[in-house]
Amino acid sequence: MSDLTATVQQTKTGFHVDGYEKISYDFTFLDGVFNPENPQLAECYKRWGRVLAVTDQNVYDVYGEQIEEYFKHHALDLKVHKTKIGEKAKTIPTFLSIVDSMTEFGIYRKEPVLVVGGGLVTDVAGFACAAYRRNTNFIRVPTTVIGLIDASVSIKVAVNYGNYKNRLGAYHAPMHTFLDFTFLRTLPTAQIRNGFAELIKISTCSHLDTFNLLDKYCERLIDTGFGRTDGAPKEVREAADKINREGIYEMLKLETPNLHEIGLDRVIAYGHTWSPMHELVPETPLRHGHAISIDMAYSATIANMRKLISDEEYRRILNLFSRAGLSMDHHMFDEDILDKGTAAILKTRDGKLRAAVPNPIGSCTFINEIEISELNAALRQHKEIMKEYPRNGEGIEAYVDASDTGYTANNKPEIKAMEAAAAEAGSLNGNGHIHGGSVPNGNEKGVNGVKEKLVNGSTKGFTSAVNGFTNGAKA
């Protein structure tokens, strides 16, 4: 939640406004958030006597009965909007389907929507809340490692646009986030591995102690759902709890002074320089954790070539990715994608590369001055090194599937038309060398013709594109 303090002063030519927004929200560690004996979540809704919940269909299939019984026990009427949100369905139509449910529910301005699911669900539903009446409250209950460790920390909410991740979004803080790690008991191993990458990210560039714990317990953390499965050793559970709490705390310390990303040199953007481009390049997208792992491993190669990390540190980073089964390379991660990804991120980061790299493990340096030739040379060297690793550095279960994507269930012609128009609007038309973080000859195609594409590319145009949209069909 937020409070705004502002002053207005007259000037010789008009007026000057100074506004300061206080952002305040809470995190609660609570195993068994939907256990009827734990009233903390229900108490957030007593004033309203009802709950609109947005959740992933996969989550509902496992926990739906428990969620229904929880709110019934606490005498709260529940309506559930079930959706399937993967990277290909993290779109405006999905966003609008949630908005439709909010309208039909008759949500009040300060009434919080309950969002239960992984980072993709909290991203899209959070964006719907940010846009609805420009500011509708929400409460998060993340259910995946990425949701618990990474997405829950930030106040960023967004949808994808074309082949660009999170191109449309907002900064919108939830009222409260409940962190329940017992959800990891039922999370597929592929998803545990996917989220493990986010912990490598924050520890490699900011928290050596956490990196050391990840290195020590890597395989056991993944195999036991971070110590939550039956029979998991107490030692692993305790290590996992320490990793999770310290990882979240470290990310909060880094993010909270810069919630609206006014400062663009961000330590937690390690692994997010080229991954926003190459994550969506394969026809079946890479899982987010695998995409950022490729970026992190390649960035580590650059850091090693520049003598920012030693050969021993470099191999330690690569070996941790490999042991975790995370991707360090992909056959479609080539010079063309590298070139396009560089051009795209320069626009996001205001003309500078700002590539976070370890220097050494546990601390961070930002690279701005770099030639395209050096990036390409690093990529060639990176691919040679990857030949020493299993699968040439490609990861295990690296692509999204039914456990984390709804795009196969939402493969509607109108959505394809919208995605094609978005891709054309954002397609890059070449770029030049990077000198001091600028691309002097770079350009992007404009948005001319996009409206026509949206109208002519679907059966009834943009408005009809969401009518009857399967994703998020009302419960």
Side-chain angles (χ1 to χ4, degrees):
M1 297 185 67
S2 62
D3 294 306
L4 184 66
T5 300
T7 60
V8 181
Q9 295 178 333
Q10 295 190 64
T11 67
K12 291 181 179 180
T13 57
F15 304 97
H16 176 76
V17 176
D18 273 320
Y20 302 92
E21 185 178 21
K22 178 184 177 182
I23 300 173
S24 177
Y25 54 106
D26 295 297
F27 293 81
T28 298
F29 288 89
L30 179 63
D31 280 3
V33 65
F34 291 115
N35 183 333
E37 296 180 4
N38 293 328
Q40 293 91 325
L41 177 60
E43 287 171 356
C44 298
Y45 290 92
K46 287 297 185 183
R47 171 188 171 187
W48 310 99
R50 62 178 192 165
V51 181
L52 172 63
V54 177
T55 189
D56 179 82
Q57 181 68 55
N58 292 326
V59 173
Y60 188 82
D61 289 345
V62 178
Y63 294 102
E65 183 176 347
Q66 184 179 351
I67 294 170
E68 300 268 3
E69 287 298 319
Y70 175 82
F71 287 110
K72 182 179 179 181
H73 175 83
H74 290 282
L76 294 168
D77 293 334
L78 174 68
K79 181 174 179 60
V80 181
H81 175 110
K82 290 168 284 190
T83 186
K84 292 183 179 180
I85 301 178
E87 289 294 350
K88 288 289 187 181
K90 188 181 176 183
T91 58
I92 286 292
T94 307
F95 159 91
L96 290 175
S97 71
I98 296 171
V99 169
D100 285 343
S101 284
M102 293 169 71
T103 298
E104 291 189 8
F105 188 76
I107 202 85
Y108 284 86
R109 184 67 173 266
K110 299 297 182 181
E111 184 179 9
V113 175
L114 176 62
V115 182
V116 184
L120 293 170
V121 175
T122 57
D123 269 5
V124 180
F127 186 32
C129 291
Y132 201 82
R133 295 195 181 96
R134 302 185 185 93
N135 186 6
T136 296
N137 288 329
F138 74 113
I139 292 172
R140 290 186 296 205
V141 179
T143 60
T144 64
V145 180
I146 285 184
L148 288 158
I149 298 296
D150 183 65
S152 70
V153 172
S154 173
I155 68 168
K156 296 183 294 183
V157 291
V159 297
N160 297 336
Y161 182 70
N163 283 331
Y164 294 102
K165 277 184 63 67
N166 301 325
R167 184 52 59 94
L168 306 176
Y171 299 98
H172 186 53
M175 292 175 61
H176 207 117
T177 298
F178 289 92
L179 301 171
D180 181 357
F181 283 86
T182 63
F183 286 114
L184 302 188
R185 291 170 56 86
T186 57
L187 196 66
T189 301
Q191 288 285 6
I192 300 290
R193 180 182 296 112
N194 189 37
F196 196 87
E198 294 287 356
L199 287 164
I200 296 178
K201 174 193 76 174
I202 190 62
S203 63
T204 302
C205 276
S206 188
H207 206 271
L208 179 59
D209 288 346
T210 297
F211 186 92
N212 290 337
L213 286 171
L214 294 173
D215 197 15
K216 181 178 180 179
Y217 293 101
C218 173
E219 294 85 351
R220 285 181 284 176
L221 288 167
I222 293 171
D223 292 342
T224 65
F226 278 77
R228 295 293 172 166
T229 58
D230 292 337
K234 180 181 178 182
E235 177 187 359
V236 176
R237 167 70 176 270
E238 290 176 349
D241 288 349
K242 183 177 177 64
I243 288 167
N244 292 332
R245 192 175 191 97
E246 291 190 357
I248 292 171
Y249 186 40
E250 187 66 22
M251 291 225 279
L252 282 170
K253 287 190 293 182
L254 290 167
E255 280 288 271
T256 49
N258 190 32
L259 285 173
H260 288 93
E261 294 185 353
I262 295 170
L264 297 177
D265 290 339
R266 302 172 60 242
V267 174
I268 67 170
Y270 176 46
H272 291 71
T273 300
W274 296 281
S275 62
M277 173 63 67
H278 71 245
E279 181 171 342
L280 301 182
V281 167
E283 183 176 353
T284 300
L286 289 166
R287 285 191 164 103
H288 180 68
H290 286 266
I292 67 170
S293 293
I294 293 169
D295 190 316
M296 286 189 279
Y298 169 67
S299 297
T301 298
I302 295 173
N304 179 246
M305 290 175 66
R306 288 195 165 201
K307 308 301 183 184
L308 299 175
I309 54 174
S310 67
D311 291 346
E312 181 182 356
E313 288 179 305
Y314 176 49
R315 288 295 181 165
R316 191 180 180 202
I317 293 170
L318 296 186
N319 291 340
L320 182 55
F321 282 122
S322 183
R323 289 167 54 204
L326 287 163
S327 301
M328 295 185 286
D329 194 22
H330 187 272
H331 59 276
M332 295 181 73
F333 183 48
D334 56 19
E335 291 186 5
D336 179 57
I337 294 302
L338 183 65
D339 197 35
K340 291 179 178 179
T342 301
I345 203 65
L346 285 169
K347 293 177 176 64
T348 298
R349 295 177 179 170
D350 202 28
K352 291 185 177 182
L353 189 62
R354 306 178 196 269
V357 297
N359 177 27
I361 294 176
S363 61
C364 178
T365 289
F366 297 94
I367 293 177
N368 286 316
E369 300 281 345
I370 191 165
E371 296 282 346
I372 292 293
S373 59
E374 183 181 350
L375 291 174
N376 290 339
L379 182 62
R380 290 191 294 271
Q381 179 167 319
H382 184 71
K383 288 185 177 292
E384 282 299 312
I385 292 170
M386 288 302 102
K387 293 178 182 178
E388 303 173 20
Y389 288 88
R391 303 170 303 279
N392 292 321
E394 297 203 14
I396 299 171
E397 298 176 301
Y399 300 96
V400 298
D401 60 21
S403 72
D404 56 1
T405 183
Y407 78 93
T408 53
N410 306 306
N411 200 13
K412 299 293 183 181
E414 58 268 24
I415 298 167
K416 286 187 175 181
M418 294 174 70
E419 289 181 345
E424 180 171 330
S427 63
L428 292 160
N429 195 27
N431 58 76
H433 296 287
I434 306 170
H435 295 290
S438 66
V439 183
N441 299 321
N443 62 82
E444 279 190 86
K445 294 178 71 174
V447 296
N448 294 335
V450 173
K451 291 182 179 179
E452 180 181 352
K453 288 281 185 180
L454 289 174
V455 174
N456 297 332
S458 65
T459 55
K460 295 183 180 180
F462 181 88
T463 302
S464 297
V466 295
N467 293 337
F469 187 62
T470 303
N471 188 344
K474 299 163 189 62

